[in-house]
Amino acid sequence: MADYHLQAATAEQETAVKSLIRAVHINPLGLDWRRFVVAVDAHGAVIGCGQVKPHGDGSRELASIAVVPGWRRQGVARAIIQRLQSEHAPPLWLTCVSTLTPFYAPFGFVEVRETAVMPPYFRRVYRLFGLFARFSSQTGTLAVMVWPGDT
């Protein structure tokens, strides 16, 4: 078993969290260390992170899930996601590249393709990504997913 533990992020870990987010090239907006859960190795280094980010429309987003490359495939992201789900009631929303939907499905997340049922924030992001994709050489599509909890 890997030698790490989860904890609420501290102010001292803010720089490490932001550096990890930049290093894995995910959305660097809305990074408030007070919302983060971090995975910390035996030497005290941040090896993974994640947060639940609130939006103005009342929706909440599972976001900023990142793991240092050398620690991937060791259950770090799974532990972070499960911890955040245990601390936040559904529904939780997320956005990801469509190739990652199978990763989130075992946690109970389902893809939502009907924009009418998406909260306004996610509807805007989905539509903007679609417009951007039409005018760029970027491949892949954006998926919007929700963890509805027990249905």
Side-chain angles (χ1 to χ4, degrees), residues 57-96:
D57 62 10
S59 64
R60 293 168 302 122
E61 178 181 11
L62 179 75
S64 311
I65 305 298
V67 177
V68 170
W71 280 89
R72 291 181 185 161
R73 300 195 180 283
Q74 296 184 49
V76 176
R78 178 178 54 245
I80 291 168
I81 293 166
Q82 289 173 333
R83 165 88 172 256
L84 290 168
Q85 285 180 304
S86 75
E87 294 176 352
H88 299 274
L92 285 179
W93 293 81
L94 67 82
T95 59
C96 63

Side-chain angles (χ1 to χ4, degrees), residues 16-49:
V17 166
K18 288 181 177 181
S19 294
L20 178 55
I21 297 302
R22 280 191 302 275
V24 299
H25 307 289
I26 57 178
N27 182 357
L29 302 175
L31 303 180
D32 183 341
W33 66 267
R34 293 168 292 194
R35 292 192 297 254
F36 275 82
V37 166
V38 293
V40 179
D41 72 10
H43 305 289
V46 172
I47 59 161
C49 64

